[in-house]
Coordinates of all heavy atoms in Angstrom, one line a residue:
I235 N -8.8 -7.3 -12.7 CA -7.7 -7.4 -13.7 C -8.1 -6.6 -14.9 O -9.0 -7.0 -15.6 CB -7.3 -8.8 -14.0 CG1 -6.8 -9.6 -12.8 CG2 -6.1 -8.8 -15.1 CD1 -6.6 -11.0 -13.0
C236 N -7.4 -5.5 -15.2 CA -7.8 -4.7 -16.4 C -6.8 -4.9 -17.5 O -5.6 -4.6 -17.3 CB -7.9 -3.2 -16.0 SG -9.2 -2.9 -14.8
T237 N -7.2 -5.4 -18.6 CA -6.4 -5.6 -19.7 C -6.5 -4.6 -20.9 O -5.9 -4.8 -21.9 CB -6.6 -7.1 -20.3 OG1 -8.0 -7.2 -20.6 CG2 -6.3 -8.1 -19.2
S238 N -7.3 -3.6 -20.6 CA -7.5 -2.6 -21.7 C -7.7 -1.2 -21.0 O -8.1 -1.1 -19.8 CB -8.7 -2.9 -22.6 OG -9.9 -3.0 -21.8
Q239 N -7.4 -0.2 -21.7 CA -7.6 1.2 -21.3 C -8.2 2.1 -22.4 O -7.9 1.9 -23.5 CB -6.3 1.8 -20.9 CG -5.5 1.2 -19.8 CD -4.2 1.8 -19.5 OE1 -4.0 2.3 -18.4 NE2 -3.3 1.9 -20.5
K240 N -9.1 3.0 -22.0 CA -9.6 3.9 -22.9 C -8.4 4.8 -23.5 O -7.5 5.1 -22.7 CB -10.7 4.8 -22.3 CG -12.0 4.2 -22.3 CD -13.1 5.2 -21.9 CE -14.5 4.6 -22.1 NZ -15.6 5.5 -21.7
G241 N -8.6 5.3 -24.7 CA -7.7 6.3 -25.2 C -8.1 7.7 -24.8 O -9.3 7.9 -24.3
A242 N -7.3 8.6 -24.9 CA -7.6 10.0 -24.5 C -7.1 11.0 -25.5 O -5.9 11.0 -25.9 CB -7.0 10.3 -23.1
I243 N -8.0 11.8 -26.0 CA -7.6 13.0 -26.9 C -8.1 14.2 -26.1 O -9.3 14.3 -25.8 CB -8.3 12.9 -28.3 CG1 -7.8 11.6 -29.0 CG2 -7.9 14.1 -29.1 CD1 -8.5 11.3 -30.3
R244 N -7.2 15.2 -25.9 CA -7.6 16.4 -25.3 C -7.5 17.5 -26.4 O -6.4 17.6 -27.0 CB -6.7 16.8 -24.1 CG -7.1 16.1 -22.8 CD -6.9 14.7 -22.7 NE -7.3 14.1 -21.4 CZ -6.5 13.9 -20.4 NH1 -5.2 14.3 -20.5 NH2 -6.9 13.4 -19.3
A245 N -8.5 18.3 -26.5 CA -8.5 19.3 -27.5 C -8.9 20.7 -26.9 O -9.6 20.7 -25.9 CB -9.5 19.0 -28.6
G246 N -8.4 21.7 -27.5 CA -8.8 23.1 -27.1 C -9.3 23.9 -28.3 O -8.7 23.8 -29.4
Y247 N -10.4 24.6 -28.1 CA -10.9 25.5 -29.1 C -10.7 26.9 -28.6 O -11.1 27.3 -27.5 CB -12.4 25.2 -29.3 CG -12.7 23.9 -30.0 CD1 -13.1 22.8 -29.3 CD2 -12.7 23.8 -31.4 CE1 -13.4 21.6 -29.9 CE2 -13.0 22.6 -32.1 CZ -13.3 21.5 -31.3 OH -13.6 20.3 -32.0
L248 N -10.2 27.8 -29.5 CA -10.1 29.2 -29.2 C -11.0 29.9 -30.2 O -10.9 29.9 -31.4 CB -8.7 29.7 -29.4 CG -8.4 31.2 -29.1 CD1 -8.7 31.5 -27.6 CD2 -7.0 31.6 -29.5
I249 N -12.0 30.7 -29.6 CA -13.0 31.4 -30.5 C -12.6 32.9 -30.4 O -12.4 33.4 -29.2 CB -14.4 31.2 -30.0 CG1 -14.8 29.7 -30.0 CG2 -15.4 32.0 -30.8 CD1 -14.8 29.1 -28.6
T250 N -12.4 33.5 -31.5 CA -12.0 34.9 -31.5 C -13.1 35.8 -32.2 O -13.4 35.5 -33.3 CB -10.7 35.1 -32.2 OG1 -9.7 34.3 -31.6 CG2 -10.2 36.6 -32.2
G251 N -13.6 36.7 -31.4 CA -14.6 37.7 -32.0 C -14.1 39.1 -31.9 O -12.9 39.3 -32.1
R252 N -14.9 40.0 -31.4 CA -14.4 41.4 -31.1 C -15.0 41.9 -29.8 O -16.2 41.7 -29.6 CB -14.8 42.3 -32.3 CG -13.9 42.3 -33.5 CD -14.0 43.5 -34.4 NE -15.4 44.0 -34.6 CZ -16.2 43.4 -35.5 NH1 -15.8 42.4 -36.2 NH2 -17.4 43.9 -35.6
M253 N -14.2 42.5 -29.0 CA -14.5 42.9 -27.7 C -15.4 44.2 -27.8 O -15.2 45.0 -28.7 CB -13.3 43.2 -26.9 CG -13.4 43.5 -25.5 SD -11.7 43.7 -24.8 CE -12.1 43.8 -23.0
S254 N -16.4 44.3 -26.8 CA -17.2 45.5 -26.8 C -17.8 45.7 -25.4 O -17.7 44.8 -24.6 CB -18.3 45.4 -27.9 OG -19.3 44.5 -27.4
H255 N -18.4 46.8 -25.2 CA -19.2 47.1 -24.0 C -20.4 46.2 -24.0 O -21.0 46.0 -25.1 CB -19.6 48.6 -24.0 CG -20.1 49.0 -22.6 ND1 -21.2 48.5 -22.0 CD2 -19.5 50.0 -21.8 CE1 -21.4 49.1 -20.8 NE2 -20.4 50.0 -20.7
G256 N -20.8 45.7 -22.8 CA -22.0 44.8 -22.8 C -23.3 45.5 -23.2 O -24.2 44.9 -23.6
A257 N -23.3 46.8 -23.1 CA -24.5 47.6 -23.4 C -24.5 47.9 -24.9 O -25.6 48.3 -25.4 CB -24.5 48.9 -22.7
M258 N -23.4 47.6 -25.6 CA -23.3 47.9 -27.1 C -22.8 46.7 -27.8 O -21.7 46.8 -28.4 CB -22.5 49.2 -27.3 CG -23.1 50.4 -26.7 SD -22.1 51.9 -26.8 CE -20.9 51.6 -25.5
P259 N -23.4 45.5 -27.7 CA -22.8 44.3 -28.3 C -22.7 44.4 -29.8 O -21.9 43.7 -30.4 CB -23.8 43.2 -27.9 CG -25.1 44.0 -27.7 CD -24.7 45.3 -27.1
L260 N -23.5 45.2 -30.5 CA -23.4 45.3 -32.0 C -22.2 46.0 -32.5 O -21.9 45.9 -33.6 CB -24.7 46.0 -32.5 CG -26.0 45.3 -32.2 CD1 -27.2 46.1 -32.8 CD2 -26.0 43.8 -32.8
S261 N -21.5 46.6 -31.5 CA -20.2 47.2 -31.9 C -19.0 46.2 -31.9 O -17.9 46.5 -32.3 CB -19.8 48.4 -31.0 OG -19.6 48.0 -29.7
G262 N -19.3 45.0 -31.4 CA -18.3 43.9 -31.3 C -18.9 42.7 -32.1 O -19.8 42.8 -32.9
L263 N -18.3 41.6 -31.7 CA -18.8 40.3 -32.3 C -18.7 39.2 -31.2 O -17.6 38.9 -30.8 CB -17.9 39.9 -33.5 CG -18.5 39.0 -34.5 CD1 -19.7 39.6 -35.2 CD2 -17.4 38.6 -35.6
N264 N -19.8 38.8 -30.7 CA -19.9 37.9 -29.5 C -19.5 36.5 -29.9 O -19.9 35.9 -30.9 CB -21.3 37.9 -29.0 CG -21.4 37.5 -27.5 OD1 -20.5 36.8 -27.0 ND2 -22.5 37.8 -26.9
C265 N -18.7 35.9 -29.0 CA -18.2 34.5 -29.1 C -19.3 33.5 -28.7 O -19.2 32.3 -29.0 CB -16.9 34.3 -28.3 SG -15.5 35.3 -28.7
A266 N -20.3 34.0 -27.9 CA -21.2 33.0 -27.3 C -21.9 32.1 -28.3 O -22.0 30.9 -28.0 CB -22.2 33.8 -26.4
P267 N -22.4 32.6 -29.4 CA -23.1 31.7 -30.4 C -22.2 30.6 -30.8 O -22.6 29.4 -31.0 CB -23.5 32.6 -31.5 CG -23.6 33.9 -30.9 CD -22.5 34.0 -29.9
A268 N -20.9 30.9 -31.0 CA -19.9 29.8 -31.4 C -19.7 28.8 -30.3 O -19.6 27.6 -30.6 CB -18.6 30.4 -31.8
I269 N -19.7 29.3 -29.1 CA -19.5 28.3 -27.9 C -20.7 27.4 -27.9 O -20.6 26.2 -27.7 CB -19.4 29.1 -26.6 CG1 -18.2 30.0 -26.6 CG2 -19.5 28.2 -25.4 CD1 -18.1 30.9 -25.4

Side-chain angles (χ1 to χ4, degrees):
I235 299 174
C236 296
T237 56
S238 57
Q239 299 179 118
K240 277 189 174 180
I243 300 172
R244 276 72 178 268
Y247 290 96
L248 181 66
I249 303 106
T250 304
R252 279 201 315 282
M253 191 175 186
S254 74
H255 195 295
M258 296 173 282
L260 297 179
S261 65
L263 205 61
N264 200 340
C265 298
I269 295 173

